[in-house]
Structure formats: structure tokens, C-alpha cells
């Protein structure tokens, strides 16, 4: 407990023990030891008997004086460190040299740690001693740990790794949330709210203003993204940069070439729309990548691969297409639309670019604009034509039935092209938001085969399940249930456990709307096999309990919530060739 005192020429318990062992008059020896090692203040000696008269133990007195002096010293250390004296750090180094031998003494340790905390460069020998001692390492300030970490990537990795795992667990928990809603989904929190999360805040504090540590974290994120293809690491890459931006850490923001691009994109994500002014700014950053600096495209592609970024880009594309419809304009003639598709393409190519280390923008296939988007528009026209037909007086109606087949170009591009597939999936969400049952029944079966099984990814399924709650009453019909379950979800639930989970999430929310015989069939089909995860088994158990409870007490009818769906309809001139319903 008192290790280090002899090194400073101060007696400790062992010295007192030796003195008492070898002396002939113990009381005199104790008195002499107290005089030599007490507070060396002549006027104090005559005052101490007064404390004895009041029954105050000497230990209590000395301890209170010690505590007061220690607090004053720690305050003085902070004042010196914050001062302007040129030799302030020399003074602190001298104090560290004198106090460090007592670093293991609990009462002195805070002083040593305070001195180290305020030194911009702690002597390497001292850092090694702290790093070698688990207890000291645990209690030292983050400012000291940064100095240890910057030369010990493995140790820093051990500290960061649990935080990165926690971040992914939190994101995946949000995607499988039991709360199904179109108003409160994965993309609802604002960027600033997300940056207040525990993991981002801890990483921001660990990095401080240290560029080397920031670069290490970015390298960890790139490596994990490559290893797992998990796009949430891309979100964290953007959130971390913007968290440092919020704190005005110019030491890092000024050297990250993605800073201004990310800042501009962050504003778009906040608005859930890329307006024309910001689109020009973003284009300027992309066009400004100079020869020899192409490596920055790898980081820009990661920023654009963030699901919050791609969500904003696709929503903006849908709105852009609405405007083109209202103007009788073609997709190929819109520079804003082409830029949005260019950024989508760059974001979706992030993994390939970082893996291959070939830093070159992927070429957007021109036929996505000239063939796929027109095919998608033709589906809108079909829908519009049918809607208008239904409104005609009975004598003017033809025998037109709602089309079931889809243009071959549309389905082919869903399967073969990443950007087209993303657009197609968001179009499905868009028609679900409009409660368009007919179009959904037509499109959902086409999603069984999509590029890289994107339609069975967690983000799309999370959004789709929330959007389907708008059509809850349609689940009472066999036709709609067949389209949603038999022709889409149940085609892959047995091979993809995440689909199984999302299907059970949906049924936990909508089971009261599904016809009893359909529900019984679904329950038999969705019963989890033994090897299923606990989450699937738990969802199935919850659903079983809800069904039992509803048999005992039939539910009261619910009121549909009021909705602000974000995408406002665009009025279209009524002509024979363009639809008047919003896209």
C-alpha cells in the first residue's frame, strides 16, 4: 500500500517496525518517528495537544490535511496545464517524476493520473508501465490511453471491438423491432439524434483530436465491412465523422477528404430529399476528385453505401420521376435524376471498390435510364388506365381487367442490375404507401428473384412490413394473403431465417385481420424447426399466445391512424399519355 515511499526518502510502516524492534524505549521511538515524519511546521506542535483534548485522533487530523493538500495540488496541476507559461509542461514532467513512484498508493494515485492527463506527451517509459499494469491502465484518463493506443493498434482494437459489435446489435434490433409502423421505422431518427447514441459518443471521446486513432477506427470499419458486407459499418463511418464535426474537431475534419461531402449529404438525409442546390454541391465534390487522389472514392462510396444515404437518394429519385411525369419529360433528360442514379451506383459499388482496390466510379448502365425506368412508368400507366376505367359510367366501361403480367424488361433488370433493383423495391414501397392492393398483388411475386436477393434483405423487409400495416383490412381476403405470403414471403422463409422472423413480426401485428383458416395454415407452415434461433421461437410463441387470447375475447375494431406520408402527390396534366395519379 505504501510502495514507493522509501524511493522518495520517506519512512513507511516497515521503517517503523524496524525502529520498534531495535529500540529500548518504544514510547520515545514513536514520539521521535512522529516528529520526523509529521507535518514539519513548528507552530503546529504546540497546537496538537488541543486536538488530543477534543478526542480527535491524529490519523483523522493528518488525513483531513492530506486530503485538502491533495485537492489543492490537483487544482494547481490543472491551472498550470491551462496556463500560458512556456515551461508549464516541464513543471508537470518534474512533478510526474517525483510522484510516479507512488502511483500504486490509492491516496496519491489521483494526483499522478491528473498530471499524466494534462501532459500532451507522457514519457514513453511511464506509458509502458501503465500499459503493463491492468489496474493502472483501467483507472488512467482517456487522454493518457490515447497516447498508449496510438502506438498499440491491437490494444486499441480490443477496446473498440466490443463497441462496434454493440453498434451492429443495436441496428439489427431496430430492424426486427416488434413495433410495426410506417410512421416510426428504422429511418425515422434524425442524423443528429442517431449521433447521440452511446457507441458513437464513446468512439468520439476515445478518438478526441487524434488523427491517428481516427484513421485506425476507419481502417477497422473498412476491414469489417469487407469481411461481413454489413452496411451498418458504412453508417457508423458517416456518423463518426459528423459527430466530430458537431464538436468542431477541425484537426480531424480538415484532413478527412470526405468531410464536406458527408456534411452536405447529412443535410439531405435530415430533409429526406436531395434538392437541386445540394445536388450541384454533391456533384461538384464527385467531379472534383483529382488524378492521383482516386482513393478518396473508396471512402465516398462507403458514405453513400450508408442505408440512410441510399434511402434518401431513392426517395429523391421517386420524387424526381413524379416531377418528370408532370412535365412530360424523359428520365434521360434530367441531370438531377442522372446524378442521383450515379451516387446510388457509387454507393452500391462500395464493397467491390474497396475489395478490388480499383478506385474508379462504376459506370451506370445507360439502359437503366432508357429501358428500365420507362418500363416502370408503363406499370404506372397500366394502373392509372385501370383506375380511370373503374370510374367510367357502366355503359362506357370495357371488359378491361387489371393486368397481372409485368414488362419483361422490368423483371429482367430487377434480377440483373443493382440500381434498377433498388429503384424497383422502393417503387413497391411507394405503391404500398398508397394502399394500392392491385399493383402490390401484381408486383410482389416478381420480387422472389431480385439482384443478390435484395428483396429478402432486412432493411427492405423491415420497411415493407411497416407499409403493409396500411393494408391491414386486405389481409382478410385470400387473394391478397396469397400474394404476400404464398407468392413472396413463404418462397424463402425456410432457407432465410430473417424472412421467417419478419413474417412472424407481420403476423404478430395483423393476425386479427387474417381469415381463421388462412391463419391456421400459416401457423402450421411457420412452426419453427428445432434448429431455429431463439428469436424465431419466441416470436412464434408470442403469436400462438395472441391467437389463444383472441379466441377467448374477440378484439374491438381499431381506428386507422392519421398519416403524413412524406411523399406529397404531384398534379399531372391530364393527357392521353400521362397518368394523373401520383407515381
Amino acid at each position: 500500500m505504501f510502495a514507493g515511499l522509501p524511493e522518495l526518502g520517506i519512512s513507511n510502516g516497515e521503517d517503523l517496525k524496524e525502529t520498534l524492534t531495535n529500540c529500548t524505549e518504544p514510547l520515545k521511538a514513536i514520539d521521535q518517528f512522529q516528529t520526523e515524519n509529521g507535518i514539519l511546521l513548528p507552530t503546529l506542535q504546540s497546537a496538537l495537544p488541543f486536538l488530543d483534548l477534543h478526542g480527535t485522533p491524529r490519523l483523522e487530523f493528518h488525513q483531513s490535511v492530506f486530503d485538502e493538500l491533495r485537492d489543492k495540488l490537483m487544482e494547481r496541476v490543472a491551472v498550470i496545464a491551462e496556463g500560458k507559461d512556456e515551461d508549464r509542461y516541464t513543471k508537470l514532467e518534474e512533478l510526474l517524476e517525483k510522484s510516479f513512484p507512488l502511483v500504486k498508493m490509492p491516496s496519491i494515485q489521483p494526483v499522478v493520473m491528473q498530471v499524466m492527463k494534462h501532459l500532451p506527451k507522457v514519457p514513453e517509459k511511464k506509458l509502458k508501465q501503465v500499459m503493463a499494469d491492468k489496474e493502472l491502465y483501467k483507472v488512467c484518463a482517456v487522454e493518457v490511453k490515447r497516447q498508449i493506443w496510438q502506438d498499440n493498434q491491437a490494444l486499441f482494437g480490443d477496446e473498440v471491438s466490443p463497441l462496434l459489435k454493440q453498434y451492429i446489435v443495436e441496428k439489427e434490433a431496430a430492424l426486427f423491432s416488434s413495433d410495426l409502423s410506417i410512421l416510426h421505422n428504422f429511418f425515422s431518427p434524425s442524423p443528429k439524434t442517431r449521433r447521440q447514441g452511446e457507441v458513437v459518443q464513446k468512439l468520439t471521446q476515445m478518438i478526441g483530436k487524434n488523427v491517428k486513432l481516427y484513421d485506425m477506427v476507419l481502417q477497422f470499419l473498412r476491414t469489417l465491412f469487407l469481411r461481413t458486407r454489413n452496411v451498418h459499418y458504412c453508417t457508423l463511418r458517416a456518423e463518426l465523422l459528423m459527430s466530430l464535426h458537431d464538436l468542431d474537431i477541425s484537426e480531424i475534419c480538415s484532413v478527412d477528404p470526405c468531410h464536406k461531402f458527408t456534411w452536405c449529404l447529412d443535410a439531405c438525409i435530415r430533409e429526406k430529399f436531395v434538392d437541386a442546390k445540394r445536388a450541384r454541391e454533391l456533384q461538384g465534390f464527385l467531379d472534383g476528385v483529382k488524378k492521383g487522389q482516386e482513393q478518396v472514392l473508396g471512402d465516398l462510396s462507403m458514405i453513400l453505401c450508408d442505408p440512410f444515404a441510399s434511402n434518401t437518394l431513392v426517395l429523391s429519385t421517386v420524387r424526381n420521376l413524379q416531377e418528370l411525369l408532370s412535365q412530360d419529360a424523359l428520365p434521360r433528360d434530367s441531370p438531377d435524376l442522372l446524378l442521383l442514379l450515379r451516387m446510388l451506383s457509387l454507393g452500391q459499388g462500395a464493397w467491390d471498390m474497396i475489395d478490388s482496390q480499383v478506385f474508379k466510379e462504376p459506370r451506370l448502365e445507360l439502359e437503366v435510364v432508357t429501358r428500365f425506368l420507362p418500363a416502370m412508368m408503363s406499370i404506372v400507366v397500366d394502373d392509372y388506365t385501370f383506375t380511370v376505367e373503374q370510374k367510367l359510367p357502366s355503359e362506357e366501361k370495357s371488359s378491361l381487367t387489371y393486368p397481372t403480367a409485368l414488362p419483361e424488361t422490368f423483371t429482367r433488370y430487377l434480377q440483373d442490375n443493382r440500381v434498377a433493383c433498388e429503384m424497383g423495391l422502393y417503387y413497391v414501397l411507394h405503391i404500398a404507401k398508397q394502399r394500392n392492393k392491385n399493383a402490390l398483388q401484381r408486383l410482389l411475386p416478381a420480387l422472389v428473384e431480385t439482384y443478390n436477393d435484395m428483396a429478402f434483405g432486412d432493411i427492405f423487409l423491415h420497411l415493407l412490413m411497416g407499409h403493409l400495416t396500411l393494408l391491414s383490412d386486405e389481409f382478410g381476403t385470400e387473394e391478397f394473403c396469397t400474394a404476400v405470403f404464398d407468392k413472396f414471403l413463404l418462397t424463402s422463409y425456410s432457407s432465410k431465417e430473417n424472412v421467417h422472423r419478419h413474417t412472424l413480426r407481420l403476423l404478430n401485428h395483423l393476425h386479427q385481420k387474417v381469415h381463421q383458416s388462412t391463419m391456421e395454415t400459416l401457423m402450421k407452415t411457420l412452426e419453427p424447426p428445432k434448429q431455429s434461433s431463439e428469436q424465431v421461437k419466441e416470436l412464434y410463441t408470442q403469436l400462438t399466445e395472441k391467437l389463444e387470447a383472441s379466441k377467448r375475447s374477440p378484439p374491438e375494431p381499431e381506428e386507422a391512424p392519421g398519416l403524413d406520408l412524406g411523399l406529397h402527390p404531384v398534379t399531372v396534366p391530364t393527357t392521353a399519355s400521362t397518368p394523373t395519379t401520383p407515381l
Side-chain angles (χ1 to χ4, degrees):
M1 186 176 174
F2 299 107
L5 286 175
E7 288 179 47
L8 300 177
I10 300 170
S11 302
N12 63 6
E14 288 299 318
D15 295 316
L16 178 59
K17 185 179 175 183
E18 192 178 329
T19 301
L20 292 173
T21 305
N22 298 326
C23 73
T24 50
E25 296 184 55
L27 291 176
K28 274 189 180 178
I30 289 169
D31 195 44
Q32 188 179 347
F33 188 89
Q34 282 180 324
T35 305
E36 288 173 1
N37 295 287
I39 298 170
L40 302 178
L41 191 66
T43 53
L44 181 65
Q45 296 307 313
S46 56
L48 286 175
F50 285 108
L51 291 175
D52 298 336
L53 290 172
H54 285 85
T56 303
R58 295 286 173 91
L59 172 63
E60 190 180 313
F61 166 70
H62 282 94
Q63 188 64 51
S64 68
V65 172
F66 176 85
D67 291 345
E68 187 70 26
L69 288 172
R70 181 184 59 198
D71 292 345
K72 293 282 184 198
L73 178 57
M74 287 173 72
E75 283 174 23
R76 184 75 188 130
V77 167
V79 169
I80 291 171
E82 290 160 13
K84 302 290 182 195
D85 292 354
E86 287 184 16
D87 64 342
R88 64 188 185 278
Y89 295 130
T90 309
K91 287 178 184 173
L92 292 181
E93 282 171 8
E94 286 171 2
L95 183 55
L96 179 63
E97 202 58 46
K98 287 176 183 174
S99 60
F100 196 80
L102 305 178
V103 72
K104 290 289 196 92
M105 191 186 293
S107 54
I108 296 287
Q109 193 178 77
V111 176
V112 184
M113 291 303 168
Q114 175 83 333
V115 176
M116 291 174 78
K117 173 185 172 179
H118 285 97
L119 272 174
K121 192 158 175 47
V122 176
E124 197 171 335
K125 186 182 173 187
K126 305 280 190 291
L127 285 178
K128 284 182 177 173
Q129 283 178 260
V130 171
M131 189 171 76
D133 188 307
K134 280 184 181 177
E135 289 303 312
L136 285 183
Y137 175 76
K138 192 176 176 182
V139 296
C140 75
V142 71
E143 290 85 351
V144 181
K145 284 178 178 171
R146 284 183 202 132
Q147 296 183 45
I148 293 171
W149 293 332
Q150 68 178 9
D151 296 316
N152 293 274
Q153 188 168 353
L155 183 60
F156 186 51
D158 291 343
E159 292 275 357
V160 168
S161 184
L163 290 173
L164 302 185
K165 283 178 187 165
Q166 181 188 334
Y167 184 84
I168 298 301
V169 166
E170 286 170 3
K171 287 289 180 201
E172 289 178 350
L175 287 171
F176 287 103
S177 160
S178 57
D179 181 27
L180 253 71
S181 166
I182 192 169
L183 297 175
H184 305 290
N185 60 40
F186 183 74
F187 293 114
S188 295
S190 71
K192 197 121 188 177
T193 303
R194 288 187 281 119
R195 295 199 285 275
Q196 302 313 308
E198 183 188 4
V199 172
V200 176
Q201 288 299 305
K202 277 188 179 175
L203 286 172
T204 305
Q205 190 199 15
M206 287 167 80
I207 290 165
K209 297 178 180 181
N210 194 309
V211 176
K212 202 170 176 184
L213 294 180
Y214 177 67
D215 283 339
M216 277 189 211
V217 173
L218 294 195
Q219 194 51 50
F220 294 150
L221 293 176
R222 286 185 206 107
T223 304
L224 287 163
F225 176 50
L226 275 181
R227 194 180 299 162
T228 64
R229 290 181 182 261
N230 193 321
V231 290
H232 300 313
Y233 291 116
C234 301
T235 307
L236 183 52
R237 196 263 183 253
E239 284 179 353
L240 187 56
L241 173 54
M242 286 309 297
S243 175
L244 293 162
H245 165 90
D246 291 343
L247 296 172
D248 288 327
I249 310 289
S250 58
E251 292 85 347
I252 290 173
C253 293
S254 62
V255 295
D256 188 330
C258 298
H259 172 229
K260 287 185 178 173
F261 182 89
T262 310
W263 185 8
C264 183
L265 188 62
D266 186 75
C268 299
I269 293 169
R270 188 180 64 237
E271 305 294 332
K272 289 189 168 62
F273 180 61
V274 183
D275 62 39
K277 181 175 175 284
R278 290 198 180 112
R280 282 193 295 275
E281 281 184 55
L282 293 168
Q283 183 169 6
F285 294 128
L286 291 178
D287 293 342
V289 176
K290 293 171 185 163
K291 202 168 184 182
Q293 296 179 347
E294 291 89 355
Q295 199 163 344
V296 73
L297 284 172
D299 276 321
L300 289 175
S301 68
M302 255 189 103
I303 299 287
L304 288 165
C305 188
D306 164 19
F308 288 86
S310 53
N311 176 62
T312 303
L313 292 173
V314 189
L315 288 176
S316 302
T317 308
V318 171
R319 251 173 90 168
N320 198 286
L321 287 168
Q322 284 180 275
E323 286 168 15
L324 290 174
L325 273 170
S326 69
Q327 297 157 8
D328 280 351
L330 291 169
R332 71 186 79 175
D333 297 329
S334 168
D336 286 354
L337 177 65
L338 294 174
L339 172 66
L340 291 167
L341 295 175
R342 175 188 176 187
M343 289 194 287
L344 260 180
S345 181
L346 180 56
Q348 290 177 345
W351 191 90
D352 295 323
M353 190 184 293
I354 296 168
D355 181 51
S356 66
Q357 293 291 292
V358 176
F359 299 104
K360 190 179 175 184
E361 268 196 66
R363 277 188 64 189
L364 175 66
E365 205 175 319
L366 192 60
E367 288 195 346
V368 170
V369 181
T370 59
R371 298 195 65 192
F372 171 74
L373 289 179
M376 196 162 93
M377 295 301 96
S378 75
I379 299 170
V380 181
V381 173
D382 288 344
D383 190 60
Y384 164 72
T385 309
F386 181 79
T387 308
V388 170
E389 173 77 15
Q390 298 308 302
K391 291 176 182 175
L392 291 173
S394 54
E395 63 272 11
E396 292 180 32
K397 281 187 184 179
S398 65
S399 56
L400 184 74
T401 56
Y402 195 86
T404 52
L406 288 165
E408 183 272 334
T409 310
F410 181 80
T411 51
R412 178 161 52 84
Y413 273 88
L414 279 186
Q415 294 166 24
D416 298 344
N417 186 281
R418 243 187 306 217
V419 174
C421 186
E422 187 94 45
M423 292 286 305
L425 294 181
Y426 268 77
Y427 176 61
V428 170
L429 294 176
H430 184 70
I431 58 173
K433 194 177 267 189
Q434 292 184 316
R435 297 180 169 89
N436 189 330
K437 179 189 77 165
N438 289 327
L440 264 180
Q441 288 176 177
R442 183 184 184 189
L443 280 159
L444 281 176
L447 302 187
V448 172
E449 288 184 45
T450 50
Y451 185 93
N452 212 15
D453 275 346
M454 282 168 70
F456 294 119
D458 286 328
I459 292 173
F460 174 70
L461 288 177
H462 166 89
L463 293 173
L464 181 65
M465 299 304 110
H467 282 57
L468 286 174
T469 59
L470 296 175
L471 294 116
S472 55
D473 290 337
E474 303 296 345
F475 281 88
T477 67
E478 189 180 340
E479 188 184 19
F480 191 69
C481 282
T482 300
V484 174
F485 297 111
D486 299 347
K487 292 186 178 178
F488 178 52
L489 292 171
L490 298 185
T491 60
S492 69
Y493 84 99
S494 56
S495 58
K496 297 181 189 298
E497 189 173 90
N498 70 311
V499 180
H500 200 160
R501 275 180 81 179
H502 283 294
T503 308
L504 288 169
R505 283 176 67 237
L506 180 66
L507 288 170
N508 262 291
H509 191 82
L510 292 169
H511 64 90
Q512 293 164 343
K513 303 288 185 180
V514 181
H515 194 273
Q516 189 179 346
S517 59
T518 307
M519 198 68 220
E520 286 169 5
T521 308
L522 284 169
M523 288 302 285
K524 283 177 190 170
T525 308
L526 292 167
E527 187 174 354
K530 282 183 183 176
Q531 67 271 25
S532 290
S533 68
E534 286 306 310
Q535 293 97 325
V536 170
K537 289 175 181 172
E538 190 180 331
L539 279 169
Y540 187 81
T541 305
Q542 285 173 12
L543 182 55
T544 307
E545 288 168 358
K546 283 180 181 178
L547 290 171
E548 289 298 322
S550 64
K551 278 179 190 173
R552 290 193 294 272
S553 55
E556 290 179 21
E558 292 178 24
E559 278 188 39
L563 292 167
D564 174 16
L565 301 180
L567 272 175
H568 302 292
V570 173
T571 308
V572 184
T574 309
T575 67
S577 58
T578 54
T580 56
T581 51
L583 167 63

